[in-house]
Amino acid sequence: MSTFLIFSIIVIYFGLIMAISYFTSRNRSDESFFTGDRQSPWFLVAFGMVGAALSGVTFVSVPGMVGNNSFYFFQFILGNVVGYLFITFVLIPLYYRLKLVSIYGYLNDRFGRRTYKTGSLFFLVSQSFGASLRLLLAAKILQFAFFDKLQIPFFLTVIIILMLVWLYTNKSGIKTIVWTDTMQTFFHILAAVVTIYSITTAMNLSLGESVNKVVQHDYFKVFNWDSKSGNNFYKQFIAGIFIAIAMMGLDQNMMQKTLTCKNQWDAQKNTLTFSLILAMTQFLFLGLGILLYVYADSIQVSLPLGEQGQFLDTDTLFPDLAINHLGLIAGVSFLLGIIAASFSSVDSALTALTTSFTYDFMDISEKSGAQKKRLKNRVLFGFSLVVFIIIMLFSGSRGDVISLIFKVAGYTYGPLLGLFLFGMFSSASVKDKWVPLICIAAPVSTYVLSIVLKNGFNFDFGFISIAVNGLLTIAGLFIIKEKKIL
């Protein structure tokens, strides 16, 4: 694929995004950046959220991880669906009742100012790492496909992407992103469908034969009942529930889009629709993963192996085959998908980080329109810089990024999970000043416990570390609860 063609694709794609930004920025208010004026069509939000949830991680990591983890990730997806039901019928009514812009305002009402700041701070850390790792994967692929050919260094590639994101988000923020994410979701799914078609055509397989190839393959193992394995069904399913609640329902990034819907019922329809589309799309990408390995074997393309026989650099399988082996149409659709992943990985995350910090720490709601604009731009630039630094720190990482993201999430979102669950299902008050200490102690204790169990009993927490972390947070909150005076 020529450098000129790749450059043309990038220019045309960015031109479409800027056109959307132009039209959505008209008639904007001071609150458009943060709330979208609460006028977003629910079905548009639902479809667009799929792209934000998928990002480059599902797009590349999920197909690649099949080689080491079979279809076990689907157990996690099943847990996600249950978690989305909790978000739909418990969290969304709460957020609409309190008329929240930053969802962490609930913690202020329920516990106090220090708990509120602590919850928001944990989100800022979690989202900064999550967004950075998602963008890292997409940026590496763009570097491999295009920027290396121009001898542009990786750090400059990341800066270019962040600058482009700034151009179309700084005016209307979430109001624009609701629409751009819809386009990006379309290109994600299109790339998967075109790649599947290209593989089946190259191998002369019918649709039925392709399905048989997938379900009869050694990697099509869905359920794992080994209690010590990190891929155990109960660990994956339970982790799927709690990670969905934490990374979607307690995440300003995802909930900010949902709260742009006109009313609670539209927001609930959005979440239910989104969860079903997301589950089906992730299943599609898992199936694509098996087909990629089947095709790679047929043309004798292999990944390097680690000391224990596991595949290394699984995130390179999809881009290598799509760009170098499956023809022009597959290559173009893949590039459109990964460009979409690059932008969807970071645009809404930066908007959510800006919203949370300005509302939770800078009291932006009390400021004038000019002050809001100036403060918003400074904070948006600051978090762009944070994302850049994190990407450069992790730029040498290997393996599938999705596992790294969920591992980090287990430690950073666990305290948030504990705070919200304790607040909603207990009437107890806590000593607000001690909450930050509890929220630091819980993830540290979870990490120590995971090491002890792994080394002493060969027991792997896997993704369930978020549930352990949340339970330890809840236990700590009970210890510091206020005693009732008789």
Side-chain angles (χ1 to χ4, degrees):
M1 191 179 300
S2 71
T3 303
F4 176 76
L5 176 60
I6 297 172
F7 177 74
S8 299
I9 292 169
I10 294 173
V11 170
I12 292 171
Y13 186 91
F14 186 69
L16 287 173
I17 286 184
M18 288 304 298
I20 292 173
S21 176
Y22 170 76
F23 286 108
T24 56
S25 296
R26 296 186 301 178
N27 302 318
R28 68 183 185 273
S29 68
D30 291 340
E31 293 299 308
S32 295
F33 183 93
F34 307 104
T35 69
D37 300 321
R38 301 196 189 278
Q39 293 296 314
S40 301
W42 69 265
F43 51 87
L44 194 76
V45 178
F47 190 69
M49 282 175 64
V50 173
L54 293 175
S55 70
V57 173
T58 300
F59 188 69
V60 173
S61 268
V62 168
M65 75 186 299
V66 168
N68 290 328
N69 295 285
S70 299
F71 240 67
Y72 295 142
F73 188 68
F74 191 67
Q75 303 170 123
F76 179 84
I77 296 170
L78 293 175
N80 284 170
V81 174
V82 177
Y84 294 134
L85 293 176
F86 180 88
I87 294 169
T88 302
F89 297 109
V90 178
L91 291 179
I92 287 178
L94 173 68
Y95 297 153
Y96 269 85
R97 187 173 71 250
L98 297 177
K99 298 180 180 179
L100 299 175
V101 176
S102 169
I103 61 174
Y104 309 110
Y106 164 75
L107 298 176
N108 190 34
D109 293 339
R110 178 64 178 83
F111 297 114
R113 191 166 181 80
R114 290 192 182 183
T115 303
Y116 166 43
K117 302 290 186 184
T118 300
S120 180
L121 183 61
F122 267 87
F123 162 73
L124 295 175
V125 173
S126 304
Q127 188 64 207
S128 295
F129 274 94
S132 301
L133 293 175
R134 291 182 180 96
L135 180 57
L136 168 63
L137 177 58
K140 277 187 172 182
I141 295 169
L142 283 176
Q143 184 72 26
F144 162 75
F146 177 65
F147 289 98
D148 273 343
K149 296 176 183 178
L150 300 180
Q151 298 184 331
I152 293 175
F154 181 68
F155 80 89
L156 193 54
T157 298
V158 177
I159 291 174
I160 291 171
I161 293 172
L162 290 173
M163 286 177 62
L164 293 177
V165 169
W166 169 279
L167 288 175
Y168 73 86
T169 59
N170 81 92
K171 289 184 179 180
S172 295
I174 199 69
K175 187 175 182 180
T176 296
I177 288 166
V178 165
W179 290 87
T180 57
D181 276 0
T182 301
M183 184 182 77
Q184 286 161 179
T185 298
F186 171 77
F187 282 120
H188 272 94
I189 298 174
L190 177 67
V193 172
V194 170
T195 304
I196 291 172
Y197 175 79
S198 299
I199 291 174
T200 56
T201 301
M203 299 184 68
N204 295 315
L205 298 173
S206 67
L207 178 61
E209 290 171 334
S210 301
V211 172
N212 286 333
K213 280 279 187 183
V214 171
V215 299
Q216 293 175 7
H217 199 277
D218 288 343
Y219 293 159
F220 192 75
K221 292 179 286 190
V222 180
F223 300 105
N224 183 322
W225 306 106
D226 179 2
S227 62
K228 292 185 177 181
S229 170
N231 287 317
N232 172 264
F233 170 78
Y234 297 106
K235 294 179 186 177
Q236 289 276 342
F237 184 76
I238 293 171
I241 295 172
F242 287 114
I243 285 182
I245 293 172
M247 294 187 70
M248 298 293 173
L250 305 182
D251 185 291
Q252 179 68 25
N253 182 3
M254 301 306 289
M255 284 298 100
Q256 189 168 354
K257 297 186 182 73
T258 299
L259 296 178
T260 66
C261 293
K262 297 177 183 179
N263 52 56
Q264 177 184 315
W265 172 230
D266 277 1
Q268 289 175 309
K269 288 188 292 184
N270 152 62
T271 310
L272 288 173
T273 305
F274 155 73
S275 65
L276 292 176
I277 296 174
L278 182 61
M280 291 187 291
T281 304
Q282 288 174 315
F283 186 86
L284 176 71
F285 274 90
L286 285 169
L288 169 62
I290 290 180
L291 288 176
L292 287 170
Y293 280 98
V294 169
Y295 180 69
D297 286 341
S298 72
I299 61 173
Q300 298 182 331
V301 170
S302 59
L303 294 171
L305 298 176
E307 295 179 358
Q308 299 178 348
Q310 79 278 16
F311 289 117
L312 298 177
D313 300 329
T314 55
D315 287 346
T316 64
L317 179 67
F318 190 3
D320 180 35
L321 294 181
I323 294 172
N324 297 323
H325 299 280
L326 284 171
L328 182 62
I329 295 177
V332 169
S333 67
F334 175 83
L335 277 175
L336 285 170
I338 203 61
I339 293 167
S342 299
F343 291 129
S344 65
S345 295
V346 73
D347 55 10
S348 58
L350 285 173
T351 302
L353 287 165
T354 301
T355 299
S356 181
F357 190 80
T358 53
Y359 269 86
D360 300 338
F361 291 92
M362 307 295 290
D363 296 322
I364 196 172
S365 59
E366 305 297 326
K367 301 185 184 301
S368 67
Q371 288 175 317
K372 284 183 178 180
K373 182 178 179 180
R374 185 167 57 252
L375 184 59
K376 175 259 296 180
N377 286 337
R378 289 175 179 175
V379 174
L380 182 60
F381 174 80
F383 277 111
S384 299
L385 183 60
V386 169
V387 167
F388 172 76
I389 293 171
I390 294 173
I391 287 175
M392 298 314 299
L393 289 174
F394 284 87
S395 60
S397 61
R398 303 179 71 182
D400 62 281
V401 172
I402 192 168
S403 295
L404 179 59
I405 287 175
F406 288 135
K407 187 174 182 180
V408 172
Y411 293 103
T412 56
Y413 278 95
L416 270 175
L417 183 66
L419 287 172
F420 272 83
L421 291 180
F422 183 90
M424 289 184 291
F425 296 105
S426 167
S427 60
S429 299
V430 299
K431 297 175 182 176
D432 186 44
K433 67 178 181 179
W434 294 110
V435 170
L437 181 61
I438 295 298
C439 290
I440 293 172
V444 171
S445 300
T446 302
Y447 177 75
V448 172
L449 185 59
S450 69
I451 296 297
V452 171
L453 292 177
K454 181 71 173 178
N455 294 338
F457 303 94
N458 197 30
F459 182 88
D460 189 353
F461 273 158
F463 294 161
I464 205 174
S465 60
I466 190 171
V468 176
N469 195 352
L471 287 173
L472 289 175
T473 303
I474 292 171
L477 294 174
F478 271 111
I479 292 173
I480 63 168
K481 71 177 182 178
E482 297 277 8
K483 294 181 180 179
K484 293 183 179 181
I485 300 175
L486 299 178

